Amino acid sequence: MTFIWLIVVTLICNNSFICLALKSMKMKALKILLLLVCLKAFCYAVQASKTCDSDGWEGEFFTGIPKIKYEGRSSKNPLAFKWYNAEEEVLGKKMKDWFRFSVAFWHTFRGTGGDPFGAPTKNWPWEDGTNSLKMAKRRMRANFEFIDKLGVDFWCFHDRDIAPDGQTLEEANENLDEVVALAKDLQSKSNKKVLWGTAQLFMHSRYMHGGATSSELQVYAYAAAQVKKAMEVTHYLGGENYVFWGGREGYQSLLNTDMERELNHLGTFLHAAVRHKKKIGFNGTLLIEPKPQEPTKHQYDWDAATTANFLRKYGLTEEFKLNIECNHATLSGHSCHHEIETARINGMLGNIDANTGDPQVGWDTDQFLIDIPEATMIMLSVIKNGGIAPGGFNFDAKLRRESIDVEDLFIAHIVGMDTMARGLKNAAKLIEDGSLAELVRKRYQSFDTNLGAQIENGEADFELLEKKVKEMDEPKVASAKQELAELIFQSAM
């Protein structure tokens, strides 16, 4: 086909007789037709392997699956929402605005079902077994069909998930540009948005010692170049946030590690990212995602409190917020509620990766969150925070290895969205009832006094408190009423 068009363009565009004839023609329609022929020929001849080619897949990716609708609690349809009603208002805000749900490209479209003990199990109909540009474009089209049918407004990505790496940085960037151009076009047609983008600084062997904390200067520089590009394409796609996940920013042993130097390098790296963000006019929020262990023994962003302290030490609290992942919270020995509350009270709650782990498995299993009490506690904090926009709830979760049907992708997200919707409604019940908040208020009511106000305002020194103690009887310590708090909480489920 390309050869034929080359012959046409040679005859039409390079033949002096025809060109002179074109100049003298009065028939505009013929001129336009010939011009289109030239343009088409140029497209095939020069960019046949790029934007003019087809990815080879015709029709729908998810045939037989309609757009997912809200059918209510009585529905027995596995491909319908029972609790998530996007337009329903809860505490003055639509459900879709409380959540701003997002699909994670890497798990949904790059997840293979493989694990350290077994080969991949998933073979989606559109996959051809390669990681070519052609295949990358096909996956991107599948992504947009999926989020459209699911009724989700956002998606998230790592640079190397959506486009193949290259032999050089330049080649990798060219690959990324080509796929991002398609994503931009698909976004414009569907009104979908990027919740956040990020650079994958953990899979390639060059990052075995980390990226920003690598002991190798060249790796540090490469990581910076990769983040630069990833931030630029996130900005180009209208992304509302950009995430840093330091999967390998840590150590295996302190015996061969200069921890202080590595932390200083990481701080310098993040300051450079802030400067580049401002240089390119990116107004999205920069996020750091705490992770305690796996793949390294210790990661520098262990949990929300550690990360908040790191940001304070390096003067970055005004530039970054936290992306809290529930499975990471449990790996650090905390509940997801604890990590979200820690981020919230530090003014750093930016985004939530809605997933969970198996309590009997001590690693990052990235399961869809289906625990309704946990979802309720999460939403209590989110409501206190007034929401998390411009962040949202990203389903950083994957199908189980044994789930291999295309419809399983939808069912998993439906269950996750319904669970969070139930959590929101339960939290709203607790807030409107007020009993739990009143129990907490009463527990601290001794501080609602003049002396309590002095303490909380930093006006009571030890001498004053010693004097007051001498004037008081032995303190009477009230019950914490934990069981009553649990009863009130359970009554909302």
Side-chain angles (χ1 to χ4, degrees):
M1 180 64 72
T2 301
F3 179 70
I4 294 172
W5 282 117
L6 279 171
I7 293 174
V8 173
V9 77
T10 300
L11 289 174
I12 295 177
C13 297
N14 292 334
N15 189 293
S16 58
F17 174 77
I18 294 176
C19 287
L20 286 171
L22 282 172
K23 289 180 181 179
S24 62
M25 278 194 306
K26 302 298 183 181
M27 298 173 65
K28 291 184 179 180
L30 186 56
K31 284 184 179 182
I32 293 171
L33 178 61
L34 289 171
L35 178 60
L36 288 173
V37 169
C38 286
L39 289 173
K40 187 75 173 178
F42 179 78
C43 185
Y44 272 104
V46 180
Q47 297 185 354
S49 64
K50 295 184 179 294
T51 57
C52 295
D53 65 344
S54 167
D55 62 27
W57 184 269
E58 300 296 333
E60 290 183 281
F61 292 90
F62 304 98
T63 55
I65 297 179
K67 288 193 175 183
I68 309 303
K69 296 179 180 179
Y70 170 72
E71 294 185 2
R73 300 180 212 178
S74 62
S75 174
K76 301 297 183 183
N77 180 6
L79 294 175
F81 296 117
K82 286 74 177 173
W83 292 86
Y84 177 67
N85 184 1
E87 299 298 323
E88 181 182 347
E89 285 200 3
V90 178
L91 298 178
K93 189 181 295 189
K94 291 180 180 180
M95 274 195 183
K96 66 179 183 180
D97 296 325
W98 277 116
F99 295 116
R100 293 163 55 84
F101 284 129
S102 170
V103 168
F105 192 95
W106 54 97
H107 283 319
T108 307
F109 295 99
R110 301 308 306 275
T112 65
D115 63 25
F117 310 101
T121 59
K122 299 180 189 355
N123 184 26
W124 305 131
W126 56 84
E127 289 286 337
D128 65 8
T130 71
N131 191 30
S132 63
L133 269 172
K134 180 178 176 180
M135 190 63 244
K137 291 178 181 179
R138 191 183 298 175
R139 292 188 192 106
M140 186 58 68
R141 290 203 297 114
N143 172 56
F144 276 85
E145 183 183 322
F146 181 78
I147 59 180
D148 180 59
K149 286 189 171 182
L150 186 62
V152 166
D153 292 329
F154 298 93
W155 63 291
C156 295
F157 69 92
H158 297 81
D159 53 358
R160 299 297 182 256
D161 296 321
I162 62 172
D165 206 343
Q167 294 298 314
T168 64
L169 179 66
E170 290 82 2
E171 183 182 340
N173 287 348
E174 288 173 4
N175 291 342
L176 186 57
D177 283 338
E178 194 164 329
V179 177
V180 165
L182 173 62
K184 181 79 167 179
D185 180 58
L186 293 170
Q187 282 190 172
S188 67
K189 293 174 181 176
S190 63
N191 202 31
K192 304 301 181 183
K193 301 177 182 178
V194 168
L195 185 65
W196 54 257
T198 187
Q200 189 192 80
L201 306 181
F202 49 89
M203 286 194 69
H204 197 285
S205 59
R206 77 173 67 91
Y207 296 122
M208 68 173 71
H209 305 310
T213 61
S214 175
S215 53
E216 301 295 331
L217 183 148
Q218 284 182 279
V219 175
Y220 181 100
Y222 201 106
Q226 193 173 331
V227 168
K228 173 182 179 291
K229 182 65 176 179
M231 190 181 293
E232 288 167 357
V233 299
T234 300
H235 178 40
Y236 175 73
L237 289 171
E240 301 193 17
N241 305 270
Y242 183 88
V243 171
F244 290 85
W245 178 61
R248 297 192 185 275
E249 311 294 5
Y251 61 80
Q252 300 290 2
S253 172
L254 276 176
L255 293 174
N256 63 350
T257 300
D258 188 334
M259 185 195 288
E260 182 177 16
R261 197 169 192 181
E262 289 195 1
L263 286 168
N264 288 340
H265 287 172
L266 181 57
T268 301
F269 190 95
L270 295 178
H271 270 290
V274 171
R275 290 195 297 273
H276 190 65
K277 167 194 168 178
K278 294 177 179 177
K279 181 178 180 179
I280 64 176
F282 177 46
N283 295 319
T285 303
L286 298 181
L287 301 167
I288 293 183
E289 182 176 328
K291 172 78 183 284
Q293 54 194 10
E294 188 202 64
T296 56
K297 179 179 180 179
H298 177 85
Q299 282 154 263
Y300 293 135
D301 50 4
W302 180 270
D303 60 7
T306 303
T307 308
N309 183 62
F310 171 88
L311 293 172
R312 287 193 188 94
K313 174 178 171 59
Y314 291 95
L316 291 163
T317 54
E318 298 301 314
E319 305 293 348
F320 283 84
K321 290 191 175 182
L322 303 185
N323 179 42
I324 302 299
E325 179 175 316
C326 293
N327 202 169
H328 293 177
T330 52
L331 289 176
S332 68
H334 305 302
S335 67
C336 189
H337 189 207
H338 168 90
E339 287 292 89
I340 291 172
E341 271 294 276
T342 300
R344 184 187 72 80
I345 64 178
N346 279 279
M348 293 182 183
L349 180 57
N351 194 82
I352 295 171
D353 275 0
N355 63 13
T356 190
D358 189 315
Q360 294 176 306
V361 180
W363 62 321
D364 198 3
T365 53
D366 286 329
Q367 296 170 225
F368 280 85
L369 196 159
I370 59 171
D371 187 314
I372 296 165
E374 183 176 13
T376 303
M377 289 186 281
I378 289 169
M379 291 314 300
L380 281 171
S381 289
V382 170
I383 291 169
K384 285 181 184 177
N385 200 62
I388 51 176
F393 282 79
N394 174 50
F395 284 112
D396 188 1
K398 59 191 174 187
L399 294 180
R400 296 304 87 201
R401 189 169 187 267
E402 303 80 10
S403 299
I404 59 174
D405 292 340
V406 168
E407 73 166 10
D408 294 336
L409 288 170
F410 286 90
I411 293 170
H413 284 83
I414 289 168
V415 173
M417 293 166 75
D418 269 346
T419 299
M420 293 311 304
R422 292 185 72 172
L424 173 62
K425 300 197 83 165
N426 290 342
K429 277 187 202 174
L430 290 166
I431 290 169
E432 289 169 340
D433 173 73
S435 298
L436 188 60
E438 179 62 13
L439 184 153
V440 175
R441 187 199 67 77
K442 284 183 177 179
R443 191 175 177 209
Y444 297 92
Q445 65 184 348
S446 65
F447 282 86
D448 297 330
T449 59
N450 289 335
L451 181 58
Q454 285 180 285
I455 291 171
E456 292 181 343
N457 292 333
E459 298 169 356
D461 58 24
F462 280 3
E463 284 76 13
L464 173 63
L465 294 174
E466 181 187 45
K467 178 182 177 183
K468 292 294 183 181
V469 167
K470 291 178 179 178
E471 297 171 358
M472 297 174 182
D473 295 330
E474 179 65 23
K476 294 181 179 179
V477 181
S479 170
K481 294 292 183 183
Q482 180 176 331
E483 291 76 14
L484 177 58
E486 291 167 346
L487 184 151
I488 294 169
F489 180 78
Q490 288 293 336
S491 69
M493 297 301 104

